[in-house]
Amino acid sequence: MPRSPNSSPHTRAVLHALQQTYPAHTYGYDLSKSTGLKSGTLYPILQRLHEQGHLDAQWEQSPHPGNPPRHIYRLTQSGLQLARDRHEPTPATRRTKGALT
């Protein structure tokens, strides 16, 4: 049985990182640092989410003269909903019945 789209652990990690910074834009480099994903994994995920309409991607001029512009990313409303739908609490944040608080 094939898995549902946008449900891989890597995609969920990217969605979660973008959700944490929403509504601000985020650089790919920052997403790479927060998710631990290498560019060869991260950027195809970002491209796919953008093509599906879940991600807004824009070019931003570098504040440093001579440096090239950089992409900045932010979830769209559908992306924000997807991130909420795909978020699975980690064991540290998951509450169980009878757990002490």
Side-chain angles (χ1 to χ4, degrees):
M1 172 181 229
R3 67 182 155 102
S4 62
N6 303 317
S7 65
S8 75
H10 296 296
T11 301
R12 289 195 316 264
V14 171
L15 288 167
H16 181 69
L18 287 162
Q19 183 181 14
Q20 295 302 304
T21 61
Y22 186 84
H25 284 89
T26 307
Y27 294 106
Y29 178 76
D30 295 330
L31 289 169
S32 178
K33 285 185 357 186
S34 67
T35 61
L37 298 176
K38 304 279 187 199
S39 62
T41 301
L42 174 64
Y43 288 101
I45 291 170
L46 293 173
Q47 183 177 4
R48 184 176 66 249
L49 290 171
H50 181 258
E51 289 171 355
Q52 293 171 347
H54 300 304
L55 194 64
D56 176 40
Q58 300 176 13
W59 286 103
E60 179 181 78
Q61 291 298 322
S62 173
H64 307 288
N67 286 352
R70 296 168 43 173
H71 259 120
I72 53 175
Y73 303 94
R74 179 175 63 186
L75 291 172
T76 62
Q77 286 299 311
S78 68
L80 188 58
Q81 186 60 49
L82 178 66
R84 289 177 180 146
D85 292 345
R86 295 290 186 258
H87 179 68
E88 295 177 8
T90 62
T93 60
R94 190 177 298 143
R95 295 187 115 170
T96 58
K97 283 188 173 182
L100 297 176
T101 56

